[in-house]
Amino acid sequence: MSQLGLPHFAPKAKRIIYLFQNGAPSQLDLFDYKPTLQQMFGQDLPASIRGGQRLTGMTASQTSFPLAGTKFQFNQYGQHRAWISELLPHTAKVVDDLCIIKTIHTEAINHDPALTFFQTGAQVGNRPSMGAWLSYGLGSENQNLPAFTVLLSKGKGNGQGVYSKLWTNGFLDSMHQGVQFSSGENPVLYLNNPEGIDKTDRRSMLDQLASLNELGFAETGDPEIRARIQQYEMAFRMQTAVPELMDVSREPEDIVKLYGPECLVPGTYAANCLLARKLSENGVRFVQLYHQGWDGHNNLPLEIEGQCLDTDQPTAALITDLKQRGLLDETLVIWGGEFGRTAYCQGPLTKENYGRDHHPRCFTIWMAGGGVKPGVYGETDEFGYNITKDPVHVHDFHATILHLMGLNHEQLTFKHLGRRYRLTDVAGKVVNGLIA
C-alpha cells in the first residue's frame, strides 16, 4: 500500500469523470454495427450462438428469439473508421479522442447487481465504491472540496433507480464517501449555517467541538472520530467554495453554445457535464455522473432517441471543453452502462419498433483522455452476441483505470474483518492494449 495521497508510480491521469449511463444503453443501436441483424431480421437467433446462455425472467418464457437489426443508420468516422450511429452526431465529431471498447463483459444479468459491480467491484453492497478507493489511495487535490462528488440526472426513458450504496465508502473511513450535489437551492444538504449563526459563530463552535472530539479520540482511538472532525472542517470550507463553483450563470456564451442551452438548467445532464468540468478543473479527484433512462425493454427506438438528444451534445462538449483547456490529457473520461442489450427482440418486433433485454456477455464502453489509446478495441461476432477477440472483464476494466491513475490494483488494499480487500477482489489484469 502506498502512502496516502501518493501514487505507486507515475500516473497518466490525475482525475476521472465517469458518465454512467444507468439502465444499459444498446450498443447495437449506438456503436456495434451489425449488418447481419438487418439481413436476418425476424429470423431466430441460432441456438449455436446463444449457447445456452441464461436469460432474464423477462424473456425466459419467449418461444422464439427474433433478431432485431437497428432502425438507425451507421457511418464510419475518424482516423480509425469507427462505426457510430446517426443518434450520436456530436460524439462522431470527437471520435478520434475515444477509446471504444466493444468487449466489456460481466456476470451480472440484472440491474442492481450489475450496477453495484461496476461501482464497487462486487455484486453485493457494503464495498467501497471506485471513487472512495481513489479518495483513499490518492486523497484530494483541493482542501476546500471533497475528493469524490456525485451528480444525478434523469432522462425521458425507462429509468432504473440509483442509491447511495453506489457511492458509499463501505468499510473505508467515512471521509471517502461520495458527496452528492443536488440541483436544488442548496447543492449540498445541511451545508449552510442555521438562521442566526454567522461564520464567526460557526468557526468557534467547530473549534470547541473539535476539542471535545479529540478528547474522545484520545480515550477510544476510534478513527471515525477523526474522520468526523475532518468532515466538519470540509463542510466549513465548502460553504465558501461550493456556491461559486455551482454558479454557471457566468459561463461565456461560447461554452453555453457548446454544451447546449440545457446546461443552464440545474439538474439536467448538460448542466451536470458542465459542473463536472468545473469540479474536475478545481481538483475533485473523481466526479461521478448518473444519467437514468436507458432501460430499453420495449419501444427502444423512441426512448434511445430521446436519451441521445439529452446526452450526445453535452458529452462531446465535455471532451472538447477539456481539450481546449489543456485538461483532457490529465483527465480520464468514461462513458457507459452496467451491461448491454440483446441482438434479439423482447416483445413484439416491427421494423420501426422493438425492445432489447439485458445482455452482459458483450457491450460497449468508451474512455477518452487520461492516457488511453484512441481507436476501437475488441471484436464481437456478426450477431453482436459473443466476444471473438480481446475480452475485457469488469475487473480488468477497474485494474486498468487504477493503473492510469498511477495505482497498482493489487497493492491498493484495506484490511477489514481479517481480510485484505481491493476494488478488483482477487482478479483483474491491466489491459495494456487500452493504454497509449
Side-chain angles (χ1 to χ4, degrees):
M1 174 62 207
S2 66
Q3 182 181 343
L4 185 66
L6 295 176
H8 298 119
F9 44 84
K12 291 181 177 289
K14 294 180 180 179
R15 293 169 291 279
I16 292 175
I17 299 173
Y18 196 157
L19 309 173
F20 199 92
Q21 310 303 317
N22 189 31
S26 169
Q27 76 283 8
L28 299 169
D29 295 275
L30 298 178
F31 296 105
D32 205 4
Y33 179 49
K34 299 298 174 185
T36 298
L37 299 182
Q38 263 88 1
Q39 296 160 13
M40 296 180 64
F41 190 90
Q43 297 182 42
D44 221 37
L45 174 71
S48 60
I49 299 298
R50 186 157 71 87
Q53 185 193 6
R54 67 191 179 121
L55 306 171
T56 73
M58 290 162 285
T59 50
S61 60
Q62 286 189 192
T63 55
S64 65
F65 301 93
L67 294 170
T70 181
K71 67 165 283 189
F72 302 106
Q73 297 297 312
F74 273 70
N75 284 294
Q76 287 178 288
Y77 296 91
Q79 180 181 343
H80 301 280
R81 311 307 296 152
W83 288 101
I84 304 289
S85 167
E86 63 178 314
L87 291 170
L88 301 172
H90 295 277
T91 300
K93 293 176 184 175
V94 297
V95 70
D96 280 339
D97 293 308
L98 308 186
C99 174
I100 301 171
I101 312 165
K102 292 188 174 181
T103 51
I104 299 284
H105 63 102
T106 182
E107 287 82 36
I109 200 169
N110 288 310
H111 291 285
D112 182 278
L115 182 53
T116 307
F117 191 31
F118 255 98
Q119 301 305 294
T120 70
Q123 294 187 38
V124 295
N126 199 37
R127 296 285 182 87
S129 53
M130 193 192 313
W133 277 114
L134 285 163
S135 172
Y136 166 66
L138 296 174
S140 178
E141 289 188 299
N142 186 335
Q143 66 170 358
N144 297 326
L145 292 169
F148 176 22
T149 61
V150 179
L151 300 164
L152 309 180
S153 59
K154 286 186 178 181
K156 302 174 185 68
N158 185 23
Q160 288 292 324
V162 293
Y163 19 80
S164 58
K165 76 171 184 177
L166 299 174
W167 51 91
T168 180
N169 55 293
F171 43 69
L172 300 176
D173 290 344
S174 56
M175 63 181 289
H176 301 301
Q177 179 172 323
V179 175
Q180 182 183 342
F181 282 41
S182 75
S183 58
E185 188 176 335
N186 298 314
V188 180
L189 296 178
Y190 314 119
L191 192 64
N192 294 337
N193 291 327
E195 190 174 341
I197 301 292
D198 62 19
K199 196 173 182 69
T200 304
D201 294 332
R202 173 67 80 178
R203 180 68 267 167
S204 177
M205 185 196 79
L206 289 177
D207 290 341
Q208 293 298 318
L209 193 57
S211 298
L212 292 172
N213 278 321
E214 285 291 357
L215 291 174
F217 178 77
E219 187 175 322
T220 66
D222 183 357
E224 276 299 302
I225 296 176
R226 281 271 171 85
R228 190 181 306 131
I229 296 172
Q230 290 173 310
Q231 287 169 326
Y232 286 146
E233 291 297 327
M234 172 63 76
F236 181 73
R237 295 192 298 270
M238 285 171 65
Q239 286 182 331
T240 301
V242 168
E244 181 180 348
L245 191 63
M246 298 295 284
D247 181 10
V248 296
S249 65
R250 299 178 187 175
E251 290 294 319
E253 187 177 338
D254 62 313
I255 292 297
V256 174
K257 185 176 179 181
L258 182 66
Y259 283 87
E262 282 208 329
C263 75
L264 299 178
V265 182
T268 62
Y269 180 82
N272 285 351
C273 281
L274 178 53
L275 285 174
R277 186 267 289 167
K278 296 185 70 175
L279 287 163
S280 186
E281 73 177 338
N282 278 279
V284 174
R285 183 77 64 185
F286 192 94
V287 184
Q288 176 77 69
L289 277 73
Y290 294 97
H291 186 65
Q292 302 171 67
W294 291 96
D295 196 16
H297 286 281
N298 45 52
N299 203 18
L300 183 145
L302 182 64
E303 289 190 1
I304 200 170
E305 200 165 359
Q307 290 293 103
C308 290
L309 282 172
D310 280 346
T311 61
D312 176 44
Q313 181 176 348
T315 298
L318 177 62
I319 301 295
T320 302
D321 198 7
L322 289 169
K323 194 171 185 179
Q324 67 191 12
R325 292 167 188 271
L327 294 171
L328 186 60
D329 286 346
E330 61 185 39
T331 308
L332 178 63
V333 182
I334 307 168
W335 184 102
E338 63 265 42
F339 39 59
R341 315 303 302 197
T342 54
Y344 59 80
C345 180
Q346 176 184 340
L349 171 64
T350 70
K351 286 283 187 181
E352 295 300 313
N353 197 13
Y354 46 86
R356 301 191 191 276
D357 201 1
H358 308 163
H359 191 67
R361 207 158 184 167
C362 58
F363 54 105
T364 301
I365 280 178
W366 60 252
M367 299 192 289
V372 300
K373 183 189 295 183
V376 179
Y377 186 87
E379 296 176 8
T380 59
D381 65 22
E382 60 183 335
F383 299 94
Y385 200 88
N386 296 298
I387 294 170
T388 57
K389 181 184 178 184
D390 295 330
V392 179
H393 189 268
V394 176
H395 285 317
D396 304 331
F397 183 63
H398 286 158
T400 306
I401 290 169
L402 292 180
H403 180 87
L404 291 166
M405 294 292 287
L407 295 169
N408 183 322
H409 73 105
E410 294 181 338
Q411 295 178 24
L412 184 65
T413 63
F414 187 88
K415 192 171 184 179
H416 174 65
L417 297 177
R419 178 193 156 183
R420 295 196 179 277
Y421 285 85
R422 64 186 208 224
L423 176 62
T424 51
D425 195 41
V426 293
K429 61 182 184 300
V430 174
V431 184
N432 290 312
L434 301 176
I435 300 171

